[in-house]
Amino acid sequence: MSPSQIIVLATPVFLVLIATELAIGIRRRRNTYRLADAVSSISLGMLSQTSAVFTRLLRIGIYTALFEQVALWRNDAFWTSLPGWLLALVFYDFCYYWLHRLGHESAVLWAAHAVHHQSQDYNLSTALRQTSSGALLGWVFYVPMALAGVPPLVFGVVALIDLLYQFWVHTEQVGRLGWFDRWFCSPSNHRVHHAVNDAYLDKNYGGILIVWDRIFGTFKDEDEQEPCVYGTRGLLNSWDPLWANAQVYAALAHDSWHTRRWGDKLRVWLKPPGWRPADVAARFPKPAFDIAQMPRYNPAMTPATRWFACVQFALLLAGMSVFLWHADSAPLAHNMAWFVALLAMQWALGAVVQGRIDMLLALMIEAGALATATSAVGLLQWHGLFKPLAMVIAIALIATSALSISTRDRFNAKSWAAMVLALVLSLAGDVFLMLNSLFIPGLVSFLGAHLAYIAAFRRGVPWFAHRGALLATLAVGAAMYAFLWAGGLPVALRGPVAAYVLVIALMVAQAMGRARVLGHSAARMVAAGACFFMVSDALLATNRFVQALPMAPFWVLATYYAAQVMIVWGWLRGQSQEEAATSPPLDAPQTAAATPTAAQNHSVAQTNPG
């Protein structure tokens, strides 16, 4: 049985324990759960496990290679005896202590580990909130075990034991445990580790044993007079699983890029978290951390959003379980396709809960992701369902949005009708292209869709307002057409394909000109979507007329749905921004609930790890 399958079998146990802790907290009137935070934490745990399918080479493969080549003492019989297993577990926990400690003392390691600390709540769901990038450098700390000759099987088992042990210590419902707290990592000891209070910062790194902290001077007892405030010293302010993993890396890359000294460009990554070069700190100042003034991130959710989140979360959990159960025996290409689909669905769920996108747009993203994955792995019957479904949802989204604002003065029926027509023709093109004998009708349908997009993008801006973009897109289109001609484009299709290439180049040029005139992010998103459309069509034509591309259905459809989602989302955002610009200002708008007392709300901030 693989580690991934063990995680699948352990998942129901985790969920039962989470439900038990929730029930106890409610009964004691000390509930530590919020739906959005718990869903975000568990979603990050899912992402950690699904991405581990691809990083296992770093965690186990490199270890195995080192064991085979450089082990100083080979005695498998000892390591598989009871004393050997116990010694290996203690050995692993010792190495883990140093990985964990350096993960708080070196910025590049903290960038990976910070994900686990970002939650402003402390409960069993927080335990599942794990990094997806820790394997990139974390394997280095276990090299001593390979040198000592600990077999890979023993290493893998004790690593899993150490990880599973740490689940139960993430709770506020278990108090002090007397003698146990002196020897082992316990809930009390680990609460200190997750706190950002000055007295608790960077303490209690032990995984199973807390004696390492006592030996090396990093132990701190929990003080009842100073309640723990959880999180990191810098608000994540997001339920986005991708941004949660990238936030600290992005901040380090920003400082490294902008500092003038070459030495500081390296020091940014190696120094303790929060260290910044003087020139960067002066140009991009950050407010000092104040534990009493940092609000808890808590965007409001409607009852419908809560139900949507619960249903989507259950479906995601089921999808992750199926993926992990079959991952070790599935082809790499299939694993990649399903991983990307699950990731898109996780992102969409986080965006809905955060209030960034509406539920219909999330469903469009999910249908597109499933259409892409089912095509890539050859599940054609399911592909036949999800591919048209994505565009049907897009049409419904644009149509309902148009109806909701049709009585307003700024409503432009022609541009909305053009957008709906573009999506309807895209749907027709999708259906035709699924039938190999109807390529020409599909080409004509998409030709009409691009013309309709041009008409929609014309609203409020001149024709092809950015002459440079027009010349560039026409040049790219001409180069692509020459490439297809040289690659064997059939004579009968040279005329229709030339017209198609010209129209899509004009669509991209119109979208880019519109973005130049309007100057807002929504218009730029539409322009980016148009560019993705051009990429998708280029991949489709290359695969069909020149040379078969590896994983062609995946790349063609992934770029196609990226294009459609960005155009639809950017269009709706643009309409909202224009409406807001002409509407009276609202008094004291709020998108997130905030409270002033950090100690009461376990608020967070980040310049140093917690």
Side-chain angles (χ1 to χ4, degrees):
M1 183 173 290
S2 70
S4 296
Q5 291 176 326
I6 293 173
I7 293 297
V8 172
L9 295 176
T11 297
V13 178
F14 294 152
L15 296 178
V16 168
L17 292 173
I18 287 172
T20 302
E21 183 191 27
L22 173 62
I24 292 172
I26 293 174
R27 183 176 180 181
R28 292 177 174 177
R29 297 184 179 179
R30 289 173 47 205
N31 180 29
T32 59
Y33 281 89
R34 290 176 298 150
L35 176 63
D37 183 88
V39 166
S40 176
S41 290
I42 299 173
S43 179
L44 281 162
M46 295 183 198
L47 178 57
S48 175
Q49 291 302 317
T50 53
S51 62
V53 169
F54 308 99
T55 60
R56 191 167 293 132
L57 176 63
L58 291 175
R59 295 183 294 114
I60 300 297
I62 293 178
Y63 182 91
T64 301
L66 289 171
F67 169 80
E68 295 290 347
Q69 299 298 323
V70 299
L72 302 177
W73 183 61
R74 298 287 292 271
N75 190 339
D76 290 6
F78 167 76
W79 289 111
T80 53
S81 66
L82 180 59
W85 281 104
L86 291 175
L87 179 59
L89 182 59
V90 173
F91 197 172
Y92 182 93
D93 201 58
F94 176 75
C95 295
Y96 174 83
Y97 168 85
W98 287 105
L99 167 61
H100 199 179
R101 179 169 175 173
L102 268 293
H104 285 250
E105 296 179 354
S106 174
V108 67
L109 296 176
W110 169 246
H113 182 57
V115 177
H116 181 60
H117 284 261
Q118 288 164 343
S119 174
Q120 296 174 264
D121 298 334
Y122 189 77
N123 51 53
L124 292 178
S125 74
T126 310
L128 302 180
R129 188 184 186 99
Q130 297 291 329
T131 177
S132 297
S133 61
L136 298 177
L137 296 173
W139 62 270
V140 173
F141 290 83
Y142 300 103
V143 169
M145 295 185 71
L147 293 175
V150 179
L153 174 62
V154 176
F155 171 78
V157 171
V158 297
L160 189 60
I161 293 171
D162 205 277
L163 176 66
L164 293 176
Y165 173 89
Q166 294 177 55
F167 174 77
W168 80 281
V169 301
H170 293 81
T171 180
E172 293 190 78
Q173 304 300 339
V174 177
R176 303 293 293 271
L177 298 177
W179 68 268
F180 190 89
D181 292 337
R182 293 193 292 272
W183 292 93
F184 295 95
C185 179
S186 66
S188 175
N189 291 332
H190 206 62
R191 285 194 289 269
V192 167
H193 176 71
H194 274 256
V196 293
N197 312 54
D198 288 341
Y200 296 150
L201 202 63
D202 299 336
K203 302 295 182 183
N204 298 2
Y205 298 112
I208 294 178
L209 297 173
I210 204 68
V211 293
W212 309 124
D213 293 280
R214 294 182 180 276
I215 292 171
F216 298 110
T218 54
F219 177 77
K220 174 65 178 178
D221 218 353
E222 185 178 21
D223 185 354
E224 294 181 359
Q225 302 303 313
E226 184 166 4
C228 294
V229 178
Y230 301 112
T232 54
R233 289 195 166 191
L235 291 169
L236 175 63
N237 280 351
S238 176
W239 304 130
D240 184 339
L242 292 174
W243 181 240
N245 277 280
Q247 181 200 25
V248 180
Y249 288 109
L252 294 175
H254 172 275
D255 287 358
S256 180
W257 176 262
H258 285 96
T259 188
R260 296 182 179 88
R261 297 184 181 89
W262 285 99
D264 284 346
K265 291 181 182 294
L266 178 61
R267 291 187 191 96
V268 163
W269 299 90
L270 301 180
K271 285 280 191 176
W275 182 88
R276 306 182 76 201
D279 57 339
V280 172
R283 290 176 62 196
F284 306 99
K286 293 182 178 180
F289 171 61
D290 184 351
I291 199 170
Q293 297 299 322
M294 300 301 290
R296 173 183 284 195
Y297 182 67
N298 193 28
M301 285 196 294
T302 65
T305 303
R306 289 179 176 274
W307 278 106
F308 181 86
C310 290
V311 172
Q312 292 290 300
F313 173 74
L315 294 174
L316 265 174
L317 196 61
M320 181 212 68
S321 299
V322 173
F323 171 77
L324 290 178
W325 191 261
H326 296 285
D328 289 334
S329 59
L332 178 62
H334 289 192
N335 281 340
M336 181 61 71
W338 285 120
F339 171 76
V340 172
L342 288 169
L343 181 58
M345 295 168 72
Q346 286 179 275
W347 182 89
L349 174 57
V352 169
V353 172
Q354 191 171 329
R356 295 179 65 190
I357 65 175
D358 122 334
M359 288 180 277
L360 276 178
L361 182 57
L363 291 175
M364 177 191 174
I365 293 170
E366 292 171 355
L370 290 172
T372 302
T374 51
S375 176
V377 304
L379 296 176
L380 298 184
Q381 288 182 328
W382 287 104
H383 175 68
L385 168 65
F386 290 117
K387 187 173 186 182
L389 179 60
M391 298 314 299
V392 168
I393 295 171
I395 293 166
L397 175 58
I398 293 294
T400 54
S401 299
L403 288 174
S404 69
I405 67 170
S406 59
T407 59
R408 300 177 189 176
D409 292 339
R410 291 181 59 84
F411 180 72
N412 186 304
K414 290 183 179 180
S415 63
W416 283 92
M419 178 61 69
V420 171
L421 178 61
L423 295 174
V424 169
L425 290 172
S426 293
L427 171 60
D430 285 342
V431 173
F432 286 137
L433 290 183
M434 284 192 294
L435 306 172
N436 290 329
S437 60
L438 297 177
F439 179 77
I440 294 298
L443 188 69
V444 172
S445 296
F446 276 111
L447 184 68
H450 295 320
L451 289 170
Y453 275 131
I454 292 174
F457 299 160
R458 172 68 176 81
R459 181 201 172 195
V461 299
W463 287 111
F464 312 114
H466 193 309
R467 294 293 182 258
L470 176 62
L471 293 175
T473 55
L474 289 175
V476 170
M480 187 64 208
Y481 185 72
F483 173 71
L484 295 176
W485 182 300
L489 183 66
V491 174
L493 291 177
R494 289 175 181 174
V497 170
Y500 187 91
V501 170
L502 174 62
V503 170
I504 194 170
L506 293 176
M507 182 195 79
V508 175
Q510 183 63 27
M512 295 177 72
R514 177 175 178 269
R516 177 72 174 270
V517 171
L518 298 180
H520 53 60
S521 60
R524 289 192 290 271
M525 181 181 292
V526 171
C531 292
F532 269 107
F533 228 135
M534 201 171 195
V535 171
S536 179
D537 286 337
L539 291 171
L540 175 64
T542 300
N543 182 70
R544 188 176 185 90
F545 301 122
V546 180
Q547 181 178 355
L549 300 174
M551 292 184 66
F554 175 82
W555 298 114
V556 170
L557 289 176
T559 50
Y560 170 68
Y561 285 115
Q564 295 284 27
V565 167
M566 294 175 80
I567 289 172
V568 169
W569 188 14
W571 175 266
L572 293 175
R573 281 183 57 194
Q575 304 305 312
S576 298
Q577 289 177 7
E578 291 177 17
E579 185 68 25
T582 58
S583 299
L586 299 176
D587 293 333
Q590 291 186 354
T591 59
T595 51
T597 306
Q600 293 176 344
N601 294 287
H602 298 172
S603 55
V604 296
Q606 170 186 325
T607 52
N608 294 310

